[in-house]
Amino acid sequence: MKAGKSKQTATLKDIALKTGYSINTVSRALRDKDDIAPATREKIKQAAREMGHINNMIASSLRLGYTNTIAVILGDVSNPHFAIMMKEIEERARECGYFSFLINTDEDEELELKAIQSALNKNVDGIIICPTQRCEENIRYLKATGVPFVLIGRRFENIPADYVICNDELGGYQATKYLLDHGHRDILMMHGPSYISSAKERLAGYLKAYEEAGLQVDDRLICEVPVTANGCRQVLDRVLEQEIPFSAVFAFSDLLAWDAWSYLKQRGYRIPEDYSVIGFDNIQSRLTLPFRLSSISSYKGRMSVSAVDLLVSLIQEDRTDSQPREVVIDTKLAEGDTVGSCSAVLV
């Protein structure tokens, strides 16, 4: 049986023959060069579309030294916080002349390494990454490649790198103080794993608010939960079964706060009459929902835009030997309907 002939894409020469322009004019038109008249560019692009021309980005990158693409590596795109962040990164990158694509790691360090390698194999101009932080090796590897990158949302103490984060300690302090000001003294802190910088810093803010108020912290109420799973339910089960007093929940993220809220309601408790709940990320600043979760705004939009602008400057300025730029954006309390005054402590 005769093998089928593979389909060939139209070449620049084919398009030049069809349109009557030179190969150089066709090439420049397809790259949107300003010295080609708009009408001519559109005529050539239309012919290219009709002929099935595919711009070979790999060949172009080898010739030009850049691809105008950036990779965005995030931990859990099922979390609306990351989904919103990706959309805003994509919009800003497009404004700056870059295409972006997303790789999800599920907060797994092995998948993170593969994501980095995949991005590098695509010859991206730069990478924006929210690191898993289970280990430092992946970021050290990325740093050794010399490819520009920016950390977003998290940072390393021992690895000098450009990053954009929110002021997590301030946010932890604001959430805890808000609950304390409403009369809550036993606040269940559901924070992420301690190897994650944002979790550690939010916990520091929680402790600072207690210290400032001259109150003792019940260590039994400081609980680590997985940031990608429904860990809140197991924690709440244990705390309720052991009859550890608490009147409010401060969750590491809005996603976990929603989980805690839902579970407490299933158990027959009212929010905020019986328990108050506050989250982190203020996802509802971008989503319309029939309820308002009290939360700490991390200003995802500012973080996203700042991360793209910082990465573009790294790519275009080639400043590999200079001091890392550290962008910290202050947080703000976003009042909702899930925090009330404490009149009694339930267990």
Side-chain angles (χ1 to χ4, degrees):
M1 186 174 177
K2 202 171 182 179
K5 185 179 179 182
S6 61
K7 186 177 179 181
Q8 299 293 321
T9 182
T11 64
L12 297 181
K13 183 178 179 181
D14 295 330
I15 300 170
L17 289 172
K18 180 178 176 65
T19 60
Y21 293 105
S22 69
I23 293 175
N24 181 58
T25 298
V26 168
S27 174
R28 297 185 70 78
L30 292 177
R31 287 184 285 138
D32 278 326
K33 293 298 183 180
D34 293 336
D35 59 346
I36 306 299
T40 302
R41 292 203 303 266
E42 183 52 38
K43 179 180 178 181
I44 290 172
K45 286 181 178 181
Q46 179 61 33
R49 286 192 293 268
E50 292 172 356
M51 298 175 71
H53 173 73
I54 301 172
N55 185 26
N56 191 328
M57 289 298 296
I58 296 177
S60 297
S61 68
L62 290 174
R63 182 177 67 253
L64 301 173
Y66 56 85
T67 60
N68 285 342
T69 60
I70 62 174
V72 184
I73 302 174
L74 300 176
D76 179 18
V77 293
S78 67
N79 185 336
H81 169 67
F82 285 122
I84 294 168
M85 181 180 286
M86 179 60 201
K87 183 177 186 297
E88 291 170 337
I89 288 174
E90 185 178 34
E91 290 175 351
R92 182 58 176 172
R94 193 184 309 123
E95 291 173 358
C96 295
Y98 291 84
F99 292 101
S100 58
F101 64 91
L102 170 67
I103 309 178
N104 183 53
T105 67
D106 282 332
E107 297 286 356
D108 181 279
E109 68 272 22
E110 292 183 8
L111 291 178
E112 179 180 68
L113 177 58
K114 292 178 180 178
I116 293 171
Q117 293 172 334
S118 176
L120 295 174
N121 287 337
K122 290 177 173 59
N123 200 31
V124 296
D125 296 335
I127 295 173
I128 294 175
I129 180 171
C130 180
T132 67
Q133 295 198 300
R134 288 180 182 271
C135 64
E136 296 182 350
E137 284 74 13
N138 291 347
I139 300 303
R140 292 191 184 280
Y141 164 74
L142 176 57
K143 189 176 177 67
T145 67
V147 173
F149 71 93
V150 172
L151 304 178
I152 188 168
R154 301 171 187 174
R155 59 181 170 185
F156 289 89
E157 292 181 2
N158 302 320
I159 304 177
D162 298 82
Y163 62 72
V164 177
I165 62 170
C166 72
N167 192 332
D168 289 292
E169 182 172 343
L170 174 62
Y173 171 83
Q174 289 169 329
T176 308
K177 187 176 187 304
Y178 184 62
L179 292 170
L180 291 172
D181 287 346
H182 279 73
H184 298 279
R185 295 297 178 262
D186 297 301
I187 302 169
L188 178 59
M189 170 68 171
M190 293 185 172
H191 69 107
S194 56
Y195 56 78
I196 295 178
S197 61
S198 54
K200 184 165 58 176
E201 290 167 13
R202 290 173 200 178
L203 176 58
Y206 169 92
L207 297 174
K208 179 181 178 181
Y210 264 95
E211 181 181 5
E212 185 181 272
L215 298 171
Q216 187 71 31
V217 174
D218 185 344
D219 292 336
R220 297 175 300 172
L221 294 177
I222 300 177
C223 305
E224 283 193 11
V225 295
V227 294
T228 58
N230 295 331
C232 285
R233 296 169 182 252
Q234 289 76 20
V235 170
L236 285 167
D237 258 343
R238 176 176 57 79
V239 172
L240 290 168
E241 287 173 7
Q242 294 179 4
E243 298 186 347
I244 301 172
F246 74 101
S247 62
V249 176
F250 171 28
F252 174 75
S253 68
D254 284 355
L255 200 62
L256 294 177
W258 289 340
D259 186 37
W261 183 0
S262 174
Y263 183 68
L264 287 169
K265 289 191 72 173
Q266 289 174 16
R267 293 285 298 257
Y269 297 110
R270 300 168 301 164
I271 308 298
E273 291 84 1
D274 297 329
Y275 290 103
S276 290
V277 178
I278 190 167
F280 205 109
D281 296 328
N282 193 26
I283 289 173
Q284 290 178 243
S285 65
R286 301 293 193 280
L287 298 177
T288 302
L289 298 173
F291 50 80
R292 296 194 311 151
L293 173 70
S294 299
S295 185
I296 297 299
S297 177
S298 57
Y299 292 109
K300 294 174 290 301
R302 290 189 203 171
M303 289 175 63
S304 302
V305 169
S306 297
V308 173
D309 289 348
L310 181 50
L311 182 62
V312 170
S313 73
L314 288 171
I315 294 169
Q316 297 181 354
E317 296 173 14
D318 191 25
R319 44 171 215 87
T320 55
D321 295 330
S322 60
Q323 278 293 111
R325 297 179 189 173
E326 303 170 349
V327 180
V328 181
I329 298 171
D330 281 346
T331 56
K332 183 180 179 180
L333 175 72
E335 294 189 71
D337 302 322
T338 57
V339 173
S341 297
C342 180
S343 57
V345 177
L346 298 179
V347 291

